[in-house]
């Protein structure tokens, strides 16, 4: 009898233990009920882009865009690029365990950023409200987010948000600040002081098109950890200061489309830029510089991959076109854009760039024939021999523009050996000969072809492959004639529907239903 009682007690204990185990397992596999209800309430405020996986009775920790910690508390809410519109319910601020929050690339159609509740998100380290259509003022309560390391408030296209720099006053560990298209002009005098005093470990500063004007403040040099500076598309003027010499870790410097000027730039770029040994990206395009620029300053920048000095006001010296007789003279670049630099010949050092993907030398004064080596950029191992017509290039060059120069001669057929070329623009030169038929065949990646404004003659090639990838074709203002293949007519009608200029010919209808070239000039 006693044995029976003992077995009965053991059975009860086992059942009790099993029940507790199942309860705990169930609790461990589901998010907190209050946070589940919060997300469902947040969803009600959305008029479009409502997350389909957010359904009552299911575990919110497995919903799209939601991450939880080991205690099933929501720590991440990433709803980027979901076509969401509507409103943001204040219940959002009940998610007090949030560490990451992103609504980027949605469309809230001019509503303001919620002005209160941010002080409750005391654990937030990353806040991304960029390109969502917010308007008005950035609320001062965001300054309560003292644990932020990443903050992006960038706007769409033109400044629709205004910001007081004092929101940064408590963000002492902020590392990345992105305020592209945000209007900072009302507090311009305060920005430098606040950045230096409040964000001492800042690494990335992007304020493109943010209504900056005047000179770059010298106190920025007190932020030695900056590795990205983007002040493009503003109204900064005066000279580029020597302060950049202090940014030993700088990898990206974008000063594109400002009003920088000076004769201090005659002959050389400021020595401070030449000392930025970690620099990867440099853009000085579309400014008001003047004088002659020597490219020797980049020789020591061995990490430089992207150089843009188009329409900067600089003229490149003739010496620069001739120097660089060895592959070690210049860093191995991915992008070179030297548009409008008054070049009279193609710089020889480009010949040794075996990693080149984009080369734009348009709007210069380059004359004569296109050098044969231009078609084999990137083939360092083959520089000593001519490419035969049946050789396939291993070049990574995908973009080549020599438009608006004074180039003469014919387009060689072995241009098609550059099989990865996707855009070719040789327009507005004095090129003669015919259009190489291989440009319209499969086997190359060419999608944009502009040969307009030359002296090309003969018939349009007819052997166009159905697998041809060309999407934009401009052949106007030449002496071409003949039938325009139906495939090209289809490309033209499709592109025109979307407002893309292409296949710009004068055509006469023919009896066989094709299109006759009328010798467009």
């Amino acid at each position: 009898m006693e044995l029976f009682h003992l077995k009965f007690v053991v059975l009860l204990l086992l059942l009790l233990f099993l029940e507790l185990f199942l309860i705990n397992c169930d609790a461990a596999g589901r998010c907190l009920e209050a946070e589940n209800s919060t997300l469902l309430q947040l969803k009600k405020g959305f008029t479009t882009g409502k997350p389909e996986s957010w359904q009552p009775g299911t575990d919110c920790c497995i919903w799209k865009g939601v991450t939880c910690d080991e205690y099933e508390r929501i720590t991440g809410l990433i709803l980027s690029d979901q076509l969401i519109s509507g409103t943001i319910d204040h219940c959002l601020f009940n998610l007090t365990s949030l560490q990451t929050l992103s609504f980027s690339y949605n469309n809230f159609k001019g509503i303001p950023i919620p002005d209160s509740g941010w002080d409750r998100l005391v654990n937030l380290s990353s806040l991304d409200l960029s390109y969502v259509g917010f308007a008005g003022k950035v609320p001062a309560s965001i300054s309560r987010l003292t644990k932020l390391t990443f903050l992006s408030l960038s706007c769409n296209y033109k400044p629709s948000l205004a910001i007081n720099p004092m929101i940064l006053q408590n963000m002492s560990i902020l590392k990345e600040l992105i305020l592209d298209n945000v209007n900072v002009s009302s507090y311009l005098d305060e920005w430098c002081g606040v950045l230096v005093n409040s964000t001492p470990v800042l690494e990335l500063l992007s304020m493109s098109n943010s209504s900056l004007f005047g000179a770059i403040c010298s106190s920025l040099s007190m932020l030695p950890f900056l590795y990205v500076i983007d002040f493009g598309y503003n109204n900064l003027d005066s000279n580029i200061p020597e302060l950049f010499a202090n940014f030993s870790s700088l990898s990206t410097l974008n000063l594109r489309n400002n009003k920088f000027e000076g004769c201090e730039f005659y002959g050389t770029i400021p020595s401070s830029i030449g000392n930025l040994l970690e620099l990867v990206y440099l853009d000085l395009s579309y400014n008001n510089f003047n004088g002659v620029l020597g490219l020797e300053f980049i020789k020591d920048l061995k990490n430089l991959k992207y150089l843009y000095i188009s329409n900067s006001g600089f003229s490149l010296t003739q010496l620069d076109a001739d120097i660089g007789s060895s592959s070690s003279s210049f860093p191995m670049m991915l992008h070179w854009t030297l548009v409008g630099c008054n070049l009279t010949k193609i710089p020889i050092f480009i010949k040794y760039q075996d990693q080149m993907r984009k080369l734009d030398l348009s709007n210069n004064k380059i004359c004569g024939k296109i050098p044969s080596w231009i078609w084999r950029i990137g083939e360092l191992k083959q520089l000593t021999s001519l490419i035969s017509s049946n050789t396939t290039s291993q070049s990574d060059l995908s973009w080549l523009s020599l438009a608006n120069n004074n180039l003469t001669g014919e387009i060689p057929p072995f241009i098609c050996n550059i099989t990865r070329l996707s855009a070719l623009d040789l327009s507005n030169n004095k090129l003669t000969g015919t259009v190489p038929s291989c440009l319209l065949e499969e086997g190359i990646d060419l999608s944009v072809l502009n040969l307009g404004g030359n002296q090309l003659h003969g018939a349009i090639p007819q052997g166009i492959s159905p697998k041809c990838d060309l999407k934009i074709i401009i052949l106007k203002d030449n002496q071409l004639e003949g039938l325009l293949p139906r495939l090209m007519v289809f490309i033209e009608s499709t592109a025109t529907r979307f407002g893309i200029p292409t296949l710009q010919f004068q055509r006469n209808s023919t009896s066989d239903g094709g299109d006759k070239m009328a010798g467009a000039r």
Side-chain angles (χ1 to χ4, degrees), residues 316-335:
L316 294 182
T317 64
Q318 186 59 39
L319 174 64
D320 283 311
D322 295 323
I323 62 177
S325 58
S326 68
S327 60
S328 61
S329 296
F330 287 86
M332 291 296 136
M333 308 287 290
L334 296 177
H335 287 193

Side-chain angles (χ1 to χ4, degrees), residues 39-40 43-44 46 48-60 62-66 79 82-84:
L39 291 184
L40 293 176
K43 178 181 176 180
K44 290 181 180 179
F46 302 156
T48 63
K50 296 186 177 185
E52 295 182 0
S53 62
W54 292 20
Q55 297 297 330
T58 61
D59 181 9
C60 70
I62 62 173
W63 290 354
K64 185 175 183 179
V66 179
L79 298 176
Q82 299 297 312
L83 302 177
I84 296 174

Side-chain angles (χ1 to χ4, degrees), residues 26 55 58 111 134 168 177 227 261 420 436 447:
D26 183 65
Q55 297 297 330
T58 61
I111 68 172
F134 287 132
L168 305 176
L177 177 62
Y227 70 91
E261 55 189 20
R420 297 176 183 174
S447 60

Side-chain angles (χ1 to χ4, degrees), residues 108-119:
F108 287 99
K109 301 180 179 179
I111 68 172
I113 298 175
D115 59 354
S116 61
W118 295 103
D119 57 319

Side-chain angles (χ1 to χ4, degrees), residues 327 331-336 346-359 371-385 387 391-400 417-421:
S327 60
M332 291 296 136
M333 308 287 290
L334 296 177
H335 287 193
W336 281 87
I346 297 176
I348 294 177
F349 61 78
I350 293 176
K351 178 178 182 179
Y352 300 93
Q353 295 289 312
D354 63 356
Q355 298 177 20
M356 185 76 67
R357 294 180 183 173
K358 178 177 181 179
L359 176 61
S372 60
W373 54 259
I374 201 74
W375 312 119
R376 54 182 187 265
I377 291 176
E379 293 183 284
L380 196 58
K381 296 179 180 179
Q382 302 182 42
L383 285 177
T384 57
S385 61
I387 292 184
T391 300
T392 300
S393 169
Q394 298 302 313
S395 171
D396 288 329
L397 192 66
S398 62
W399 177 293
L400 175 62
N417 292 329
I418 310 178
T419 58
R420 297 176 183 174
L421 194 64

Side-chain angles (χ1 to χ4, degrees), residues 120-140:
R120 302 185 62 192
L121 303 183
V122 295
N123 296 300
L124 201 63
S125 63
S126 177
L127 176 61
D128 191 348
L129 301 180
S130 56
Y131 305 107
V132 295
F134 287 132
K137 294 183 177 181
V138 178

Side-chain angles (χ1 to χ4, degrees), residues 25-26 34 61 117 132 196 203 214 229 231 237 261 334 348 399 487:
C25 284
D26 183 65
C61 286
V132 295
V196 170
E203 298 177 356
I229 298 177
F231 289 151
D237 54 27
E261 55 189 20
L334 296 177
I348 294 177
W399 177 293
L487 175 62

Side-chain angles (χ1 to χ4, degrees), residues 494-506:
T494 303
T496 302
R497 190 186 315 162
F498 293 96
I500 301 174
T502 181
L503 291 177
Q504 300 176 29
F505 298 111
Q506 297 173 1

